[in-house]
Amino acid sequence: MAIHYNLAKVYALSDNDPEFVNQIIGLFVTEIPEDLLEIKEGIKKKDHKHAYAYAHKIKPSLDLMGLDVAFQEILQIEAWTKAEGKKKEIEEIFKSVNNQVSDAVKELKKDFNL
């Protein structure tokens, strides 16, 4: 029912090519949760460069998949890494991004029989 994601940008990018759309969705479902684990690890170890690299990597995907709030929050995580902030400051924002991606992945898997 597309509550947690919006594929308008994906369809626009693909010229409504269902095969291309499925590839984008497949990549999102498999790679983004793994990348989030890397961000979590970077936050946990206070490895700001590691967290930044993966936050920066997933940023376009969040935008493309219509996860607007998660996209804004990943920008906050990037800013936190650049400022080398304290762990407590970012944990709730990361948790929010993680939950939004998790909800979107579950919904995509169901909607696209993955």
Side-chain angles (χ1 to χ4, degrees):
M1 292 293 279
I3 295 169
H4 297 103
Y5 64 89
N6 181 339
L7 297 179
K9 289 180 182 176
V10 176
Y11 282 107
L13 179 70
S14 72
D15 288 332
N16 293 319
D17 177 353
E19 196 173 303
F20 183 77
V21 170
N22 284 334
Q23 286 179 327
I24 296 290
I25 291 167
L27 286 170
F28 182 85
V29 165
T30 56
E31 290 187 14
I32 301 305
E34 292 174 10
D35 293 340
L36 283 169
L37 290 173
E38 294 293 336
I39 295 170
K40 182 178 182 178
E41 190 67 21
I43 291 170
K44 184 177 164 188
K45 292 182 175 178
K46 296 181 188 169
D47 184 344
H48 295 91
K49 285 183 179 152
H50 187 81
Y52 174 82
Y54 284 92
H56 190 70
K57 178 183 174 197
I58 72 168
K59 184 171 57 172
S61 297
L62 297 178
D63 183 42
L64 186 63
M65 299 298 286
L67 279 79
D68 298 333
V69 174
F71 176 76
Q72 292 303 318
E73 290 174 338
I74 211 71
L75 294 176
Q76 291 176 24
I77 291 173
E78 277 189 335
W80 172 84
T81 62
K82 289 178 183 175
E84 297 192 356
K86 301 207 181 333
K87 195 162 64 167
K88 277 186 196 170
E89 298 168 351
I90 207 66
E91 286 177 327
E92 286 303 312
I93 293 171
F94 172 78
K95 194 184 299 182
S96 174
V97 172
N98 198 40
N99 289 340
Q100 290 171 69
V101 168
S102 178
D103 289 344
V105 165
K106 282 181 204 155
E107 193 174 3
L108 285 162
K109 283 181 176 180
K110 183 175 174 233
D111 293 351
F112 289 86
N113 298 316
L114 300 175

